[in-house]
Amino acid sequence: MSTILSDIKNSFVSIIKGLKVTAINWSILRPCVTELYPEQRPQLPEAYRGMPTLPVRPETGRSDCIACGACARMCPEHIITVEVDKTDPKDRKPAKFSIDISRCMFCGLCMEVCPKGCLRPARTFELASRTREGMIYNLDKLNELGGQLPPEPETKLES
Amino acid sequence: MNQILIDLALELGKLIAIAVVVLVFMLVAVLYLVLKLRWVIARIQSRLGPNRTGPWGVAQTVADALKLFQKEDIIPKGADKWLFTIAPALVFIPAYLVYVVIPFGAGLTAQSLNVGVMYISAISSIGVIGIIVGGWASNNKWSLLGAFRGASQLISYEVPIILALVVPVLINGSLDLNTIVANQSGGFWHWDLFTGFPMLPLAFLMLVIAGLAEINVTPFDIMEAESELVAGFNTEYSGMKFALFFLAEFAESFTLSAIITTLFLGGYQPPLHILGGQLTGIAFSAVSLFWFMAKCWVLVVFIMWVRSTLPRVRVDQLMNLSWKALIPTGLVNLLLTGAYVVFWMHK
């Protein structure tokens, strides 16, 4: 008999406790976590890793890319295409460079393997496009998205 | 002869007008309740809820309803077409008919019946036929299981609901909802819940618990348990037919609030005499409509609060609660109330 009574008491107490928890959430004590996206922009973290881009070095007017093709070979999805510009053998630069971002999984291996460190993650995330072609980023678009590299700090290696 | 025909036509026109008014009221109430439910649950889960369609998202449910109207009406292969088609109507019509006797305000009852409480309990239990017909006709195991569970649940919870409804009926000595409300006039201490007679709060509690099970909202929604049965008896329904089931479900949650308000919370009576009790005629009708709606709104929001708090019970727990707890309590409660009415109240 006493166990039944205590069961009844416990069930009522626990229901009221549960209702109290939801009421606290309901009240103004808990702000909404919803982000009103198009009006409110998300706060991107410092080390945000977006799609790979080719930032432009201001001194040369183009990226540091030497069209070695390491990124294209490393890419697990084979979405990077690189063709070398063969006009000047002393100055290696890409003639074509494109990334099909629709299949990119943002693993970042291309950026890790780049010997010149010129593939950098972009701080952008709105990559939607209405066409498949719009998802393929060529050299100009990648340069434009990457922006400009900060000027290189003057460091001299002691030989 | 002509006079009789004119009278008949007038009477018929009056009936149709009342039916349309009640239907429109029900549709508007359901549209608002769906929106309010989404707001309440969103806020409890620290979200914002619908806020894009119209100012503050008020047109969200209208847009959803319009979308449902455009949906393809699919009848699954192997389904019993006739039964599948009439099942939503069998659920919707009882939910609609209950609104006929509810006193929304002074003089604002579509049809005042002298057996109002019995009418409500009789009509609202017809809906279970629609549920089991829909579940059986869908030719789907989830639907059938949901319908079986629904039938057993609704039949089990009819009993404690009626045991709880009878208590205020005995105290007031009438089955007419208007008489019961009129008995509770004069301030909130005259409402049945607060008269100080301990059997009435117990019956109120039983009616709230059993009513939650009867309209199958979340702590007792085993008949449409999403994690087990997809959507229960309405798994195969789409388009307008689904909309009718949905409409009936939310209409029932308003009906429950309206019944509890009428029987225990003074119906349309204002809580204090100065808050509208001194008015007469149309002014009092308007004020009483406001108070009725305010009380129903509080109860509906409470139902939503419970719904977004408690987890779903198991089937055996649900049955135990009804047959082992609510029905014995209700019988003892009824016995004590009867003894009180016979031996003390009329002395």
Side-chain angles (χ1 to χ4, degrees):
Chain A
M1 188 63 198
S2 64
T3 54
I4 294 174
L5 285 178
S6 70
D7 275 359
I8 293 172
K9 201 194 103 199
N10 285 342
S11 56
F12 273 99
V13 167
S14 54
I15 287 173
I16 287 167
K17 271 184 187 167
L19 288 176
K20 204 178 89 186
V21 170
T22 42
I24 288 172
N25 264 19
W26 195 357
S27 65
I28 51 168
L29 296 175
R30 279 283 182 90
C32 284
V33 295
T34 312
E35 188 178 75
L36 291 169
Y37 162 62
E39 292 100 45
Q40 281 175 16
R41 308 301 298 181
Q43 297 281 324
L44 291 181
E46 198 66 13
Y48 184 81
R49 284 187 339 126
M51 65 172 284
T53 53
L54 289 169
V56 179
R57 183 166 293 287
E59 293 91 45
T60 55
R62 61 187 169 98
S63 74
D64 286 350
C65 181
I66 54 170
C68 62
C71 47
R73 282 194 300 280
M74 179 53 91
C75 182
E77 295 282 341
H78 306 298
I79 58 175
I80 304 181
T81 327
V82 189
E83 275 179 30
V84 192
D85 188 350
K86 286 176 180 162
T87 49
D88 184 2
K90 293 275 172 58
D91 181 23
R92 282 179 66 93
K93 59 178 188 292
K96 279 184 185 168
F97 194 108
S98 72
I99 302 178
D100 181 2
I101 211 69
S102 62
R103 273 158 52 214
C104 180
M105 59 180 178
F106 299 88
C107 61
L109 286 175
C110 50
M111 302 179 231
E112 256 175 53
V113 83
C114 184
K116 301 291 276 184
C118 60
L119 269 177
R120 299 280 176 93
R123 289 180 64 79
T124 176
F125 52 90
E126 287 160 320
L127 303 170
S129 166
R130 287 185 185 276
T131 54
R132 282 167 193 259
E133 291 71 36
M135 300 298 279
I136 300 172
Y137 285 74
N138 59 19
L139 189 56
D140 293 338
K141 278 191 187 167
L142 287 171
N143 284 340
E144 191 191 331
L145 259 179
Q148 293 210 330
L149 276 178
E152 207 165 347
E154 301 264 333
T155 50
K156 279 185 180 173
L157 291 173
E158 287 176 19
S159 55
Chain B
M1 188 61 199
N2 263 342
Q3 192 55 40
I4 293 171
L5 279 180
I6 289 168
D7 284 352
L8 203 65
L10 279 177
E11 195 64 24
L12 204 63
K14 206 177 115 192
L15 283 179
I16 291 171
I18 288 173
V20 168
V21 167
V22 171
L23 187 64
V24 168
F25 170 80
M26 182 179 164
L27 292 176
V28 172
V30 167
L31 285 180
Y32 173 72
L33 287 184
V34 177
L35 187 66
K36 184 67 192 168
L37 176 73
R38 291 176 64 179
W39 275 336
V40 167
I41 288 185
R43 199 57 201 86
I44 283 175
Q45 294 167 352
S46 296
R47 295 185 286 114
L48 283 171
N51 65 346
R52 289 305 158 112
T53 323
W56 309 288
V58 289
Q60 184 64 51
T61 43
V62 179
D64 288 345
L66 288 177
K67 190 201 76 176
L68 268 181
F69 290 150
Q70 297 166 14
K71 290 273 177 185
E72 189 188 351
D73 193 8
I74 300 165
I75 296 180
K77 211 174 174 183
D80 191 325
K81 282 202 182 69
W82 271 98
L83 292 182
F84 190 81
T85 311
I86 61 169
L90 282 178
V91 174
F92 175 75
I93 290 172
Y96 168 55
L97 283 180
V98 167
Y99 281 63
V100 167
V101 291
I102 292 172
F104 291 100
L108 293 177
T109 317
Q111 183 66 53
S112 184
L113 290 180
N114 56 4
V115 286
V117 176
M118 205 172 91
Y119 173 84
I120 285 180
S121 57
I123 293 291
S124 61
S125 43
I126 293 177
V128 68
I129 298 173
I131 285 171
I132 203 157
V133 164
W136 184 79
S138 297
N139 190 28
N140 176 321
K141 56 186 169 186
W142 311 122
S143 304
L144 191 57
L145 273 175
F148 282 161
R149 285 183 179 194
S152 59
Q153 174 184 349
L154 295 187
I155 290 167
S156 306
Y157 278 88
E158 279 301 318
V159 186
I161 280 191
I162 290 169
L163 288 177
L165 287 180
V166 167
V167 173
V169 167
L170 275 180
I171 298 284
N172 286 295
S174 172
L175 279 165
D176 187 352
L177 291 169
N178 276 309
T179 315
I180 292 175
V181 173
N183 279 350
Q184 303 179 51
S185 65
F188 67 87
W189 56 91
H190 290 292
W191 296 357
D192 274 347
L193 183 59
F194 305 122
T195 44
F197 178 55
M199 302 309 149
L200 283 166
L202 189 59
F204 173 76
L205 199 65
M206 278 179 54
L207 186 57
V208 170
I209 294 172
L212 285 176
E214 187 73 10
I215 61 171
N216 48 79
V217 300
T218 285
F220 305 111
D221 69 338
I222 59 157
M223 63 188 271
E224 44 192 75
E226 293 91 356
S227 45
E228 303 153 28
L229 296 182
V230 190
F233 66 96
N234 59 21
T235 306
E236 294 288 353
Y237 282 91
S238 55
M240 269 310 292
K241 295 192 186 112
F242 173 75
L244 279 183
F245 276 129
F246 203 63
L247 203 66
E249 193 184 320
F250 277 86
E252 279 168 7
S253 84
F254 180 82
T255 310
L256 175 70
S257 309
I259 294 168
I260 295 175
T261 305
T262 308
L263 292 180
F264 290 97
L265 297 175
Y268 53 72
Q269 304 287 357
L272 289 170
H273 189 69
I274 49 163
L275 294 172
Q278 77 280 21
L279 298 168
T280 49
I282 293 177
F284 184 62
S285 288
V287 168
S288 58
L289 181 66
F290 166 76
W291 282 114
F292 184 80
M293 286 300 156
K295 289 171 191 174
C296 284
W297 186 84
V298 169
L299 278 172
V300 162
V301 171
F302 176 76
I303 291 173
M304 290 169 182
W305 183 16
V306 171
R307 177 178 181 149
S308 51
T309 302
L310 298 178
R312 182 181 305 132
V313 298
R314 287 198 313 267
V315 182
D316 60 321
Q317 289 170 333
L318 186 88
M319 290 299 154
N320 279 351
L321 180 66
S322 175
W323 293 104
K324 290 188 180 169
L326 290 178
I327 291 178
T329 319
L331 284 172
V332 172
N333 197 19
L334 182 60
L335 198 68
L336 291 175
T337 314
Y340 169 78
V341 169
V342 170
F343 295 117
W344 284 282
M345 211 170 104
H346 296 307
K347 279 286 161 71

